[in-house]
């Protein structure tokens, strides 16, 4: 059984506004629902668990009902960090879960081919993440001055969904929480504990909506029917 975990309990502080970004309307469909639909449509996904802020539990439940999303197994209260939100979901996942796919609720354009690639690599290697190579020149800058160049050959932007065998994610999260360690994603968590994470090809379209500009870009991509380009 493959279970997608969508941490959706953030506040969206970098984007601003009163409503957290995952609930914003994106051309008639809330951002969170657009992301959920990608997993709802993927035949490889058996169930979905959403972690949301306690204030938005009911709102999230209503969205699931009104968009008739059938794969959502449960909505749990998230925590104060992304890691804690993921942990809440892992704790209540069905015992039959073999693989978890943790996906940021604010990456709506995840192609199905990418979901498939991550699941296959996770089954073979235990854990897998999509990544894209860094495009720009990378420099170390201090006080408005370029101090040094950082070679970018081996530098990648890490995306989600991040696939991990269920027991491995549980064990690593238990250990991190017990030791008070905090990681921004599962690849960093697993790497800290010495587990290999296999990297597969990500997608430039699978960007995380973080700033206002990303929202504008997302609307334009929906206008030009981006899903037909996958
Ligand atoms: N997230 C979560 N619980 C938290 C913090 C973040 O479930 N306590 C989720 C977000 O809802 C998002 C994903 O983790 O789906 C990636 O986080 P990010 O893009 O940083 O979202 P926010 O934390 O909401 O944004 P910001 O950092 O700008 O406040
Ligand atoms: Mg954040």
């Amino acid at each position: 059984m493959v279970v997608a975990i969508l941490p959706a309990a953030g506040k969206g502080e970098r984007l601003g506004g009163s409503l957290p970004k995952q609930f914003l309307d994106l051309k008639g469909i809330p951002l969170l629902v657009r992301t959920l639909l990608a997993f709802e449509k993927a035949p490889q996904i058996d169930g979905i668990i959403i972690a949301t802020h306690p204030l938005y539990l009911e709102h999230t439940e209503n969205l699931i009902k009104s968009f008739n999303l059938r794969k959502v197994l449960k909505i749990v209260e998230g925590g104060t960090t992304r890691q804690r939100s993921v942990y809440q979901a892992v704790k209540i996942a069905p015992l039959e879960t073999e693989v978890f796919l943790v996906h940021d609720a604010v990456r709506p354009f995840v192609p199905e081919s990418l979901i498939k690639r991550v699941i296959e690599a996770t089954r073979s290697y235990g854990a897998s993440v999509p990544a894209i190579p860094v495009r720009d020149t990378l420099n170390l800058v201090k006080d408005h001055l370029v101090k040094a160049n950082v070679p970018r050959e081996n530098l990648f932007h890490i995306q989600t969904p991040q696939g991990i065998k269920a027991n491995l994610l549980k064990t690593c999260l238990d250990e991190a929480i017990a030791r008070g360690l905090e990681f921004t994603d599962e690849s960093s968590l697993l790497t800290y504990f010495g587990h290999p994470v296999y990297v597969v090809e990500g997608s430039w379209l699978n960007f995380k909506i973080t700033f206002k500009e990303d929202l504008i870009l997302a609307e334009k991509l929906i206008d030009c029917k981006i899903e037909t380009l996958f």
Side-chain angles (χ1 to χ4, degrees), residues 193-208:
F193 288 112
H195 298 288
V197 177
Y198 191 84
V199 175
V200 298
E201 196 186 345
S203 163
W204 288 103
L205 295 171
N206 183 30
F207 63 93
K208 181 162 72 73

Side-chain angles (χ1 to χ4, degrees), residues 7-14 21-22 79-82 85 104-106 208:
K11 292 189 179 139
E13 277 167 356
R14 282 170 288 180
K21 57 188 177 181
Q22 55 273 32
T80 48
T81 62
R82 181 185 178 282
S85 296
D104 295 327
V106 288
K208 181 162 72 73

